[in-house]
Amino acid sequence: MTDDTAPPLPPRAHPAWVLTGFVLLVFCTGTAEYLVAGVLPQLAADVGVSTAAAGQTVTAYALGVAVGGPVVTILTARLPRKGLALSLGLVFVLGTLVTVVAPTYAWVIVGRVVSACSQATLFAIGLTTAAAAMGPGRQGRAVAIVSSGLTVATVLGVPLGALLGGNLNWRTPFLVVAVVAVAGVLILWSSMPRTPAPATGVRDEIRTLVRGPVLLAVTTTVVGFAGVGIVFTYLVPLLSDVTGLAAAVIPALLLAYGVGGFVGNLVAGRCADLDLGRTLIAVFGALVVTLALFPLVAEHPAPMIVMVLVLGLLSTATIAPLQSLVLRHAGAAPTLSLAVNVGAFNMANAVGSALGGVGVAAGLLRWGGVGGAVFAVVGLVLALLALRTTTQTTAAQATQSTTQEDHQ
């Protein structure tokens, strides 16, 4: 097995500050992704495009993460981690500042893409560094801590954009994010130790990525998380048009959903350290049941509120177990696999939103949970296959080790 192959941080390192720096940067990259949703009208009016066109800046960012992230990871595979992390943080700041001063819509797109290209690799470095800092047997918690920056971003991204951009200027929230990201870079600069360049290269990273359990984990991420996206993307119209909740109640419920995601992520990280297989099965099983119940209770406010809160707890609970599964099989070359899996969550959001939109256009707003449950079932099957492959790999390694000992 390759559970704990990441080298421990040197004694002079400051693990708490290192984790803080990465959490801040992950929070900033995640917030930048969601900010646009809160300032779409102002952005569209300022640069002279339609609201629909302004919304494509979200697509540009998602593609930058999903496509640009792996490319950046491959190109930087042999660079020392501290210098790379700092450089990526500065690239994100630069892209965000381009967005802040962009005179035209095209420059807004450029800024968004530049910012996005840093996210996946930076996130992956944060995960491997956190795993080393937390020590053996705590990979799940390490992943959950770094990922908490992203879960907080999902809670605050849109409200922060609406609050700052609505009352001041749509560029202001991006400037605030850039300033916070600079703080994260400075924390890493002062606390993260210098380490030698990785001994592994591009071929090692690609060889790791194409391992069966890793590919299954990435596929599970896309399919399983897409089920959540089908429902969550259109949760507001579902709650207002079908459930009949008052407009004043929905923002508070969405905030509670986001807080639930933050808590669920941390709890799942702890559970993944105790028993990764049972955690994955439990999370996907609970997702299947929860999503399937949405259409059945959609017209009843009280149980619907409960379902939304439960979905909030489960929404990000797949992150720590799936990334932990990747880490277990990534050996000394985990960065590309982790970066691809980060992009897989973005891809899942895009797939879920697109399919959910098709359902809404067909008049099936209430029944989105059925489609989400189907995706969660497939995610559960893929997770079981990934775990089975994991078990077979472990048994093969144990047999090989015993054979080698017999020949000595």
Side-chain angles (χ1 to χ4, degrees), residues 63-75 117 120-121 209 336 339-340 343:
L63 289 175
V65 176
V67 179
V71 173
V72 170
T73 302
I74 290 174
L75 294 176
C117 285
T121 309
L209 177 62
L336 178 60
V340 168

Side-chain angles (χ1 to χ4, degrees), residues 52-144:
Q56 294 308 306
T57 61
V58 178
T59 304
Y61 195 96
L63 289 175
V65 176
V67 179
V71 173
V72 170
T73 302
I74 290 174
L75 294 176
T76 59
R78 296 302 298 271
L79 296 180
R81 300 294 92 174
K82 179 175 182 176
L84 179 57
L86 296 177
S87 299
L88 291 172
L90 292 175
V91 167
F92 172 78
V93 172
L94 175 63
T96 304
L97 291 178
V98 169
T99 302
V100 170
V101 301
T104 63
Y105 175 70
W107 277 106
V108 173
I109 295 292
V110 170
R112 297 285 287 168
V113 172
V114 170
S115 299
C117 285
S118 67
Q119 179 177 338
T121 309
L122 187 60
F123 200 162
I125 295 172
L127 293 177
T128 55
T129 304
M134 295 289 287
R138 296 184 178 182
Q139 287 184 343
R141 275 168 283 185
V143 171

Side-chain angles (χ1 to χ4, degrees), residues 30 44 68 89 151 160 266 311 315 329 348 381 387:
T151 58
L160 183 64
L266 294 178
L311 184 61
S315 61
H329 293 274
V381 173
L387 292 168

Side-chain angles (χ1 to χ4, degrees), residues 198-378:
T200 55
V202 174
R203 290 183 179 179
D204 301 297
E205 294 283 353
I206 294 175
R207 191 179 299 115
T208 296
L209 177 62
V210 298
R211 289 177 182 170
V214 175
L215 286 178
L216 282 170
V218 172
T219 307
T220 303
T221 299
V222 175
V223 175
F225 204 69
V228 176
I230 289 174
V231 173
F232 179 71
T233 305
Y234 300 94
L235 187 58
V236 171
L238 178 66
L239 293 174
S240 59
D241 299 346
V242 179
T243 310
L245 290 182
V249 175
I250 294 176
L253 187 55
L254 291 178
L255 179 61
Y257 175 99
V259 172
F262 176 77
V263 174
N265 172 54
L266 294 178
V267 171
R270 171 63 176 168
C271 292
D273 287 333
L274 297 175
D275 194 319
L276 178 58
R278 289 184 179 180
T279 301
L280 271 174
I281 293 170
V283 169
F284 276 110
L287 269 177
V288 171
V289 174
T290 302
L291 291 169
L293 286 174
F294 261 76
L296 302 180
V297 302
E299 295 181 347
H300 308 285
M304 189 61 171
I305 289 174
V306 173
M307 286 296 99
V308 171
L309 295 177
V310 172
L311 184 61
L313 286 170
L314 297 172
S315 61
T316 58
T318 58
I319 296 177
L322 288 172
Q323 293 286 38
S324 295
L325 186 61
V326 171
L327 273 172
R328 284 196 173 190
H329 293 274
T335 311
L336 178 60
S337 299
L338 292 172
V340 168
N341 209 33
V342 170
F345 282 101
N346 292 79
M347 187 64 68
N349 281 328
V351 171
S353 299
L355 293 178
V358 172
V360 171
L364 301 174
L365 174 62
R366 174 178 178 175
W367 301 100
V370 174
V374 170
F375 271 80
V377 168
V378 179

